[in-house]
Amino acid sequence: MANWRDGNGTLRVGADPTEIPLEIAASYGARTRGLLGRDGIDGAMLLTPAASVHTFRMRFAIDVAYLDRELGVLAVVTMAPGRLGLPRLRSRHVLESAAGAMAGWGLRAGTVLEVDVPGRLTSR
């Protein structure tokens, strides 16, 4: 999806119809702020464009999914606070959630994500 904007949407993982609350951070300021200063997240945050993340000054561990341009999952890792993630080749977006959440959603490498933003529908 071209022209991502900061805002909210809904995430669906694979064929599971469960709707997961999604925050979209597309501007430089929103991506830089990310999850800093929070004690947790209900759902997930999509950083776009992004190829890597860090957890410096974070208060909690997070799951990180690296996504290609079609929202296909390339890799999933869990990062403790104070870590620097390496950039992933072909990664165009990064999805963040509380540690353990992605496993509960069945999200893993090869999973196809769908993002529903009011007025738009994006899937692979």
Side-chain angles (χ1 to χ4, degrees), residues 1 3-12 19-27 30 33-35 38 41-48 95 114-122:
M1 176 166 133
N3 302 321
W4 289 92
R5 293 191 183 113
D6 293 346
N8 296 305
T10 303
L11 174 70
R12 289 183 192 82
E19 295 184 350
I20 300 161
L22 180 69
E23 296 177 45
I24 300 168
S27 69
R33 189 172 43 256
L35 297 173
R38 297 187 188 191
I41 181 171
D42 178 31
M45 177 176 279
L46 178 70
L47 306 171
T48 182
L95 186 70
E114 184 177 285
V115 173
D116 184 12
V117 178
R120 300 182 130 157
L121 180 66
T122 299

Side-chain angles (χ1 to χ4, degrees), residues 11-69:
L11 174 70
R12 289 183 192 82
V13 178
D16 187 345
T18 303
E19 295 184 350
I20 300 161
L22 180 69
E23 296 177 45
I24 300 168
S27 69
Y28 176 78
R31 288 191 317 269
T32 301
R33 189 172 43 256
L35 297 173
L36 292 176
R38 297 187 188 191
D39 292 321
I41 181 171
D42 178 31
M45 177 176 279
L46 178 70
L47 306 171
T48 182
S52 67
V53 296
H54 69 82
T55 58
F56 298 119
R57 299 185 336 198
M58 294 276 296
R59 297 179 183 167
F60 60 101
I62 61 172
D63 284 344
V64 177
Y66 296 90
L67 312 176
D68 64 19
R69 69 180 68 248

Side-chain angles (χ1 to χ4, degrees), residues 12-16 64-68 70-77 88 90 95 102 105-114 123-124:
R12 289 183 192 82
V13 178
D16 187 345
V64 177
Y66 296 90
L67 312 176
D68 64 19
E70 290 85 26
L71 302 178
V73 178
L74 301 169
V76 178
V77 298
R88 298 288 173 140
R90 295 182 28 235
L95 186 70
M102 290 185 186
W105 301 333
L107 194 149
R108 59 187 166 280
T111 301
V112 177
L113 302 182
E114 184 177 285
S123 64
R124 188 179 208 182

